Amino acid sequence: GLSYTWIFNNDTLSLRDDGRRFVSQETGNLYLAKVEPWDVGTYTCVVSNREAQQSAWGPPTPLTLRSDGVMGEYEPKIEVHFPETTYAAKGSAVRLECFALGK
């Protein structure tokens, strides 16, 4: 299996005790819930395969804050795609998820 790690400014990004950041081990995506000034820097994704004892590094990607505070074309877009009806057996647990992504 593959595992994903992110490098931030040449150090492994620590996710302990940080409810703002999450790395999906399904997609490798890094999610930041709220960007803070100390998040500015360079991010690099590392994909590893322990069985093959190999890793691949993605290109470094800089994160900068806009000085004007305007999102413009990067304004978050929220799309909701729920079926009209969700069925569940009596007494069972149901989980409905909602999230938004922005760039």
Side-chain angles (χ1 to χ4, degrees), residues 11-72:
D11 290 317
T12 301
L13 183 64
S14 174
L15 300 176
R16 289 185 184 160
D17 302 323
D18 188 346
R20 296 183 315 111
R21 299 181 288 191
F22 169 74
V23 176
S24 168
Q25 290 302 313
E26 279 189 30
T27 64
N29 292 346
L30 168 64
Y31 297 94
L32 293 153
K34 180 183 177 188
V35 176
E36 299 289 350
W38 52 85
D39 294 321
V40 169
T42 302
Y43 291 82
T44 305
C45 180
V46 180
V47 182
S48 301
N49 183 323
R50 291 184 189 203
E51 292 176 23
Q53 297 181 350
Q54 291 185 330
S55 295
W57 289 57
T61 304
L63 173 68
T64 57
L65 293 180
R66 291 181 60 114
S67 59
D68 58 9
V70 176
M71 290 297 289

Side-chain angles (χ1 to χ4, degrees), residues 53-98:
Q53 297 181 350
Q54 291 185 330
S55 295
W57 289 57
T61 304
L63 173 68
T64 57
L65 293 180
R66 291 181 60 114
S67 59
D68 58 9
V70 176
M71 290 297 289
E73 66 182 286
Y74 301 104
E75 185 171 317
K77 181 178 182 182
I78 299 173
E79 295 181 9
V80 179
H81 302 282
F82 288 119
E84 287 186 26
T85 306
T86 300
Y87 296 94
K90 182 178 178 182
S92 67
V94 175
R95 179 176 172 177
L96 301 176
E97 294 183 337
C98 180

